[in-house]
């Protein structure tokens, strides 16, 4: 397939995926998770192929399946918040070798095999932050800037060979937890698809499908109507741990959320900030928030701390290289934060605050098509730096 044909095929498949998502959002279609946009260039690209474990000599056609039984036994309570063991509840079925990306040239589709889930923050009735804050006639509306940059970044990433999944491509509202469910379904669906080729089957993993579908369909950030599903509250329930352990087996998939900042008290505060989460940050946040430690599920400890910091650093470096004027003028532009998209997604997940709508200096940058394009190039180059440098 020529590059052009491949691009068209990818675009058509993405459009079909988006159409299905749109129908699902209006309730006209009973969406199944496998209807989510699939990685379409994976097979055609020189991607790292996970090696089946030695014991899985069984083939997909064999009746002798290896049963995948995750180890989800909660550790006993001994005071304070508990932690899940740092070892995965699952064997490393896919062992993706990221070293195949090292040294690839920018000119040669270096990100073929990589998927980036781009999350344009807010949308629909949720405008995000506004300037001026009165909603009657704002000069700048966060949700629009987020989407404009996300769409441009998606184009730049595809040019580098990456597959891109957009949580939204239009001015639509979706809950934070639906964004999280999109990232969850992506990994779970791929894992279920891949398990047979390694000789495994697992009811435990299939059980996650309806749980994620509920979050997706309910599309609410409330606990009361089930919008947060099994991901509500502090700590991680066994199902959440299983989901996170599955996502941990997809190091070639990233989640990047795009936002704009506001600092109402001081219009001089300006510049780019990048947020990420760590295992320790997650534990501290849960300790602050959990009212009853004995009844709080154990805190997850399997985040890729180094990967998150590395992606956050690359995003800062590469965006500032494109747009030095976005340099933050406060004391820290790399920050640990307890955001739901960082806590409840165990892909390498980072949130970018692209500038302050309260700063006249940043507003000029954020509203400029040319500057948005530069931020998008910076995001794509950061992903390139993350995998290839
Ligand atoms: Zn925001």
């Amino acid at each position: 397939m020529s590059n052009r044909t491949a691009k068209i095929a990818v675009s058509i498949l993405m459009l079909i995926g988006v159409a299905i998502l749109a129908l699902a959002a209006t309730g006209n279609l009973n969406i199944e998770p496998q209807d989510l946009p699939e990685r379409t260039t994976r097979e055609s690209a020189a991607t790292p192929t996970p090696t089946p474990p030695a014991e899985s000599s069984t083939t997909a056609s064999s009746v002798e399946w290896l049963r995948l039984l995750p180890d989800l036994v909660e550790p006993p309570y001994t005071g304070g918040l508990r932690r899940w063991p740092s070892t995965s509840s699952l064997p490393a079925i896919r062992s993706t070798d990221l070293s195949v990306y090292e040294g690839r040239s920018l000119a040669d589709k270096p990100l073929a095999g990589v998927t980036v889930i781009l999350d344009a923050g807010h949308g629909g009735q949720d405008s995000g932050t506004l300037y001026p804050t009165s909603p009657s006639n704002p000069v700048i509306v966060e949700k629009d800037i987020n989407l404009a940059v996300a769409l441009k970044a998606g184009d730049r990433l595809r040019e580098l060979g990456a597959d891109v999944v957009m949580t939204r491509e239009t001015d639509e509202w979706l809950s934070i937890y639906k964004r999280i469910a999109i990232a969850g379904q992506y990994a779970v669906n791929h894992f279920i698809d891949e398990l047979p080729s390694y000789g495994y089957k697992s009811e435990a993993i299939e059980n996650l499908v309806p749980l994620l579908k509920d979050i997706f369909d309910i599309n609410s950030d409330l606990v009361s109507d089930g919008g947060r599903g099994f991901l509500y509250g502090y700590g991680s329930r066994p199902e959440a741990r299983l989901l996170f352990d599955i996502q941990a087996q997809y190091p070639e998939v990233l989640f990047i959320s795009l936002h704009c900042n506001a600092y109402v008290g001081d219009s001089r505060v300006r510049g780019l900030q990048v947020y990420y989460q760590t295992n320790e940050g997650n534990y501290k946040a849960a300790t602050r928030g959990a009212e009853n430690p004995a009844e709080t599920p154990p805190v997850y400890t399997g985040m890729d701390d180094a990967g998150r910091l590395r992606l956050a650093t690359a995003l800062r470096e590469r965006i500032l290289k494109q747009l030095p004027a976005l340099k933050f003028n406060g004391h820290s532009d790399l920050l640990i934060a307890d955001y739901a998209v960082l806590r409840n997604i165990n892909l390498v997940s980072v949130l970018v605050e692209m500038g302050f709508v309260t700063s006249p200096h940043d507003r000029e940058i954020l509203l400029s098509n040319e500057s948005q394009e530069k931020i998008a190039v910076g995001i794509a180059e950061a992903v390139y730096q993350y995998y290839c440098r």
Side-chain angles (χ1 to χ4, degrees), residues 71 73-75 83-89 241 245 298-302:
D71 173 17
V73 180
E74 294 193 13
R83 298 176 200 253
W84 284 109
S86 58
T87 48
S88 177
S89 62
R241 184 192 177 208
D245 283 343
V299 176
Y300 188 71
T301 63

Side-chain angles (χ1 to χ4, degrees), residues 220-283:
S220 153
D221 285 321
L222 302 176
V223 175
S224 54
D225 61 9
R228 299 188 181 193
F230 61 99
L231 298 169
Y232 79 93
Y234 295 98
S236 297
R237 282 158 191 78
E239 299 88 343
R241 184 192 177 208
L242 179 59
L243 169 64
F244 298 157
D245 283 343
I246 291 168
Q247 288 178 318
Q249 296 203 19
Y250 288 83
E252 75 277 36
V253 186
L254 304 176
F255 186 95
I256 300 175
S257 189
L258 299 177
H259 288 259
C260 301
N261 235 330
Y263 194 82
V264 176
D266 190 343
S267 64
R268 292 169 301 178
V269 177
R270 59 181 169 87
L272 173 88
Q273 287 186 310
V274 185
Y275 291 80
Y276 64 104
Q277 183 56 291
T278 63
N279 289 304
E280 209 45 44
N282 194 27
Y283 188 80

Side-chain angles (χ1 to χ4, degrees), residues 121-122 126-129 142-143 146 257-261 351-353:
H122 313 280
D126 169 18
S127 299
T129 189
E142 183 194 348
K143 63 175 182 177
N146 298 342
S257 189
L258 299 177
H259 288 259
C260 301
N261 235 330
L351 186 144
V352 181
E353 294 278 5

Side-chain angles (χ1 to χ4, degrees), residues 49 78 92 100 115 123 154 159 209 238 281 288 290 309 318 325 350 352 356:
T49 309
T78 56
V100 301
T115 297
E159 282 170 9
V209 172
R288 279 193 300 273
L309 176 59
R318 290 294 182 144
V350 167
V352 181
F356 285 78

Side-chain angles (χ1 to χ4, degrees), residues 133-179:
T133 46
S134 128
S136 53
N137 194 19
V139 180
I140 185 164
V141 179
E142 183 194 348
K143 63 175 182 177
D144 297 338
I145 309 293
N146 298 342
L147 181 59
V149 176
L151 289 168
K152 288 174 163 68
D155 289 342
R156 299 291 83 78
L157 283 161
R158 287 187 200 97
E159 282 170 9
L160 296 184
D163 284 329
V164 175
V165 174
M166 306 284 295
T167 57
R168 68 178 178 99
E169 288 183 295
T170 60
D171 181 22
E172 66 166 320
W173 183 82
L174 61 163
S175 71
I176 305 275
Y177 281 76
K178 183 166 179 172
R179 299 165 200 263

Side-chain angles (χ1 to χ4, degrees), residues 292-368:
N292 187 343
E295 286 175 16
T296 301
V299 176
Y300 188 71
T301 63
M303 286 184 188
D304 179 0
D305 283 355
R308 286 170 181 242
L309 176 59
R310 210 154 54 76
L311 180 63
T313 306
L315 282 161
R316 177 184 62 178
E317 278 177 23
R318 290 294 182 144
I319 294 171
L320 289 182
K321 190 175 161 225
Q322 292 294 322
L323 260 177
L326 264 185
K327 182 150 179 52
F328 183 58
N329 65 353
H331 68 273
S332 184
D333 57 0
L334 267 188
L335 296 154
I336 291 172
D338 185 39
Y339 292 132
V341 291
L342 306 180
R343 177 179 65 236
N344 284 321
I345 294 175
N346 196 36
L347 305 169
V348 166
S349 169
V350 167
L351 186 144
V352 181
E353 294 278 5
M354 298 180 282
F356 285 78
V357 303
T358 40
S359 151
H361 172 271
D362 283 4
R363 277 200 299 280
E364 200 181 317
I365 294 173
L366 294 169
L367 286 167
S368 146

Side-chain angles (χ1 to χ4, degrees), residues 79-135:
L81 277 191
R82 294 172 295 165
R83 298 176 200 253
W84 284 109
S86 58
T87 48
S88 177
S89 62
L90 298 169
I93 289 166
R94 340 167 60 243
S95 48
T96 311
D97 178 11
L98 292 186
S99 71
V100 301
Y101 293 102
E102 283 168 22
R104 283 190 184 177
S105 146
L106 248 186
D108 197 23
K109 303 264 179 208
L111 298 181
V114 166
T115 297
V116 181
I117 304 176
L118 284 174
D119 176 43
H122 313 280
Q125 69 264 34
D126 169 18
S127 299
T129 189
L130 302 172
Y131 184 86
T133 46
S134 128

